[in-house]
Amino acid sequence: MESKLSRRSMLGAGAGVLAAGAIAAASPTTAFAAPSAGKPAGGPNVIPADRIGLQIYTVRQLIGSDYANLELSLEAVYDAGVRELELAGDYYAKTTAQLKSIVQSHGLRIVSNHFGPRSASLPNPWMSYDGRMQIFEDAQTLGRFPYVGTGSSFGFPGGGFSGNTSDGIKAMAEVFNECGAHAVSQGFGGFFFHNHDGEFALENGAPLYNILLERTDPRYVKFEVDLGWVSVAGEDPYWWIKEHGDRFIAFHIKDIKWDPNGNRTATAGTRAAGRKFRFVDVGKGDIDWTRTLSAIKDLRDYRFFLEHDDAGNQTLNPLGSMTTVWRGCSTLDSVNTSGRK
């Protein structure tokens, strides 16, 4: 087997080749060790190397619908600089123990998952006691997660990507509190919710997301903030971090480009309603990442998951999802907020 290529030499060879299936780099020989107690290595103004993560949904096309390229994909994202993975609800036809072992054998660790349905037609395990207990069991086996949460509001009262109302958001907040209290009783830090742009629809001039912050108990409920979707809603992600960072535990690092010919449209009711955009590789879009992340007092206190919803679409992203991961890791490597405090 070939020796593992350095990051620089791989970049020089062209990460786009990886997306085409010619993934030749060897996996690490030992599993990536968990950081020692306390803050991870690094300083407050630089993202620690072991906190650069990936929402695995980004490379779903590379993995394949039959999961044939799962291990090749894990090798590639490790070589790009990723050390932590967040799952998207799929265990790739493996048991949780098997998946954890495979991921660790490639130098990575699973630290989060979006538990719950990916469409409105599927049942939501968060809505039953037995469903939650299965979530808690999976989370313990996959990686003893500090928090357990969900990637969308599907299946929750008032949930869905659009059409949110204040009454619906209030009902959702009540269930989040219940889920969080249950999670804490089982030894977790609480429940987290990952946003899209719809939760930032305006009512009486204020984003509905405020209701989630106000109506959820901070002892039980935290938030994984998708900074790309915040931007799509026409909001300033810097402001939201500055004002409410104590309620946040992690971020999706996702970039956008406003484009009148873009393939996506901001949700009705948000500040940017009807505006066209497209997702792009992190560092290639309209979000100023150094400014945005300078709202964080200590970057070691959070997790950072790269994501690009359309990364595997050859028409929208012809260089492929592995180029997306490499570029994202490079961008996060270069962030230094010391001059912006």
Side-chain angles (χ1 to χ4, degrees):
M1 185 176 287
E2 297 179 20
S3 62
K4 186 166 81 72
L5 298 175
S6 71
R7 178 168 178 167
R8 180 172 297 178
S9 64
M10 286 288 286
L11 279 171
V17 175
L18 296 177
I23 307 175
S27 60
T29 56
T30 58
F32 182 78
S36 58
K39 294 183 185 296
N45 306 122
V46 177
I47 297 174
D50 60 4
R51 282 293 172 87
I52 293 179
L54 176 71
Q55 167 46 253
I56 202 167
Y57 183 75
T58 301
V59 293
R60 64 194 182 281
Q61 283 95 345
L62 184 60
I63 292 171
S65 59
D66 59 357
Y67 314 138
N69 292 329
L70 174 62
E71 295 203 53
L72 291 175
S73 301
L74 295 175
E75 291 178 11
V77 301
Y78 177 91
D79 286 330
V82 170
R83 293 297 177 266
E84 298 191 330
L85 291 181
E86 180 177 65
L87 302 179
D90 194 338
Y91 301 157
Y92 307 105
K94 305 287 190 296
T95 67
T96 50
Q98 288 170 339
L99 182 59
K100 177 183 178 180
S101 178
I102 291 169
V103 168
Q104 286 186 334
S105 74
H106 292 287
L108 301 158
R109 62 175 177 268
I110 305 169
V111 297
S112 184
N113 181 30
H114 284 178
F115 293 102
R118 299 200 66 85
S119 75
S121 62
L122 297 174
N124 185 353
W126 287 106
M127 298 303 294
S128 72
Y129 175 89
D130 289 343
R132 291 177 202 159
M133 292 304 293
Q134 185 63 59
I135 286 170
F136 301 150
E137 180 181 334
D138 289 353
Q140 288 285 9
T141 306
L142 287 166
R144 298 177 183 244
F145 297 168
Y147 295 90
V148 283
T150 191
S152 78
S153 59
F154 285 135
F156 290 97
F161 282 159
S162 61
N164 291 313
T165 65
S166 58
D167 287 342
I169 292 289
K170 289 173 184 176
M172 196 186 308
E174 288 185 15
V175 176
F176 288 176
N177 283 329
E178 184 179 318
C179 293
H182 197 175
V184 169
S185 76
Q186 298 299 309
F188 297 94
F191 170 89
F192 74 80
F193 174 67
H194 164 277
N195 64 279
H196 291 79
D197 59 335
E199 291 84 24
F200 290 86
L202 305 176
E203 191 165 293
N204 298 321
L208 293 172
Y209 197 78
N210 285 332
I211 298 174
L212 284 178
L213 292 166
E214 294 163 359
R215 292 283 184 129
T216 53
D217 190 328
R219 296 175 299 171
Y220 304 134
V221 179
K222 302 293 184 182
F223 296 89
E224 177 184 76
V225 181
D226 190 310
L227 299 174
W229 283 119
V230 172
S231 299
V232 168
E235 302 287 331
D236 180 2
Y238 172 92
W239 184 90
W240 285 94
I241 297 172
K242 195 76 171 175
E243 292 296 312
H244 302 289
D246 60 329
R247 298 294 306 277
F248 304 158
I249 58 167
F251 301 100
H252 273 203
I253 307 298
K254 177 187 298 179
D255 219 336
I256 68 165
K257 194 77 175 176
W258 295 110
D259 181 350
N261 297 312
N263 64 306
R264 291 175 177 263
T265 307
T267 295
T270 62
R271 297 189 199 280
R275 195 173 178 188
K276 294 283 189 178
F277 71 97
R278 53 191 170 89
F279 291 123
V280 296
D281 294 348
V282 171
K284 297 293 183 178
D286 293 329
I287 299 176
D288 182 337
W289 290 106
T290 299
R291 174 185 177 272
T292 296
L293 298 180
S294 70
I296 299 173
K297 293 180 180 178
D298 193 332
L299 292 168
R300 297 173 294 179
D301 291 336
Y302 298 87
R303 286 193 150 92
F304 304 86
F305 299 110
L306 295 163
E307 187 180 31
H308 183 330
D309 296 47
D310 297 328
N313 186 312
Q314 290 189 333
T315 300
L316 299 173
N317 188 39
L319 292 182
S321 57
M322 278 316 306
T323 296
T324 291
V325 177
W326 280 84
R327 284 174 168 171
C329 287
S330 179
T331 297
L332 293 187
D333 277 345
S334 68
V335 168
N336 188 321
T337 63
S338 58
R340 301 296 300 266
K341 296 297 183 184

